[in-house]
Amino acid sequence: MLIASYKDFSMAGWAWPHFHPVELACKCRSRGCRGEYWHDPKFIDALEALRGRVGRPLKINSGHRCGVRNVLVGGAPESRHRRIAADISLSGHDRHAFLNAAIDSGFTGIGRGRTFIHLDRRMSPATWTYKGADASWQI
Ligand SMILES: [Zn+2]
């Protein structure tokens, strides 16, 4: 569900203690939107499950992107970030444990970056490694 700004989203009934809509909203703030937000309860359920498994705070580098921002950051036109996906910082985390926890938490689109991991919940599972990130994932 698309909401023009996270500021307009009612927090009544918000059920996820470790996350706030602002963390998942578009980061434009001025150039393209007012903090566009895509609400997907199942996605936040999966984030909470992941947070529980990892046992540490998750820093979301990028969540929803409005059309303007998606172009500005060079995102694919059909990027999952146009609805909801999260690029989460791997700083301070064991990346392999984090990856396994993400799979166990129900994420099906998983992109392995050097400093972050991309997570979404797509119908057909897909995993990939971003350019320049291979070495960081070698065991
Ligand atoms: Zn925006």
Side-chain angles (χ1 to χ4, degrees):
M1 177 175 62
L2 183 68
I3 292 134
S5 172
Y6 70 91
K7 293 171 190 161
D8 301 335
F9 187 74
S10 169
M11 293 298 286
W14 184 262
W16 304 275
H18 295 101
F19 299 94
H20 186 280
V22 69
E23 296 175 86
L24 295 166
C26 183
K27 303 263 190 272
C28 271
R29 297 297 183 273
S30 58
R31 297 176 72 181
C33 72
R34 299 189 299 119
E36 202 172 87
Y37 172 60
W38 185 281
H39 186 62
D40 178 350
K42 286 192 163 26
F43 184 84
I44 319 172
D45 284 346
L47 279 180
E48 279 288 353
L50 175 59
R51 171 69 177 76
R53 285 188 170 88
V54 170
R56 305 192 55 176
L58 307 186
K59 180 175 181 292
I60 298 168
N61 293 342
S62 181
H64 173 76
R65 289 179 197 148
C66 74
V68 171
R69 182 165 178 80
N70 194 52
V71 169
L72 284 175
V73 302
E78 301 297 316
S79 169
R80 301 292 301 198
H81 287 278
R82 290 292 287 111
R83 294 174 76 155
I84 190 62
D87 292 347
I88 301 175
S89 172
L90 287 169
S91 178
H93 294 286
D94 175 321
R95 65 181 59 225
H96 297 285
F98 196 104
L99 173 63
N100 288 330
I103 293 166
D104 292 344
S105 300
F107 290 101
T108 49
I110 300 180
R112 292 171 293 193
R114 191 174 59 79
T115 61
F116 71 93
I117 190 163
H118 166 104
L119 299 175
D120 65 53
R121 286 170 40 82
R122 59 187 67 197
M123 293 295 285
S124 304
T127 59
W128 63 93
T129 304
Y130 290 97
K131 196 176 172 190
D134 276 322
S136 69
W137 286 93
Q138 239 119 74
I139 299 171

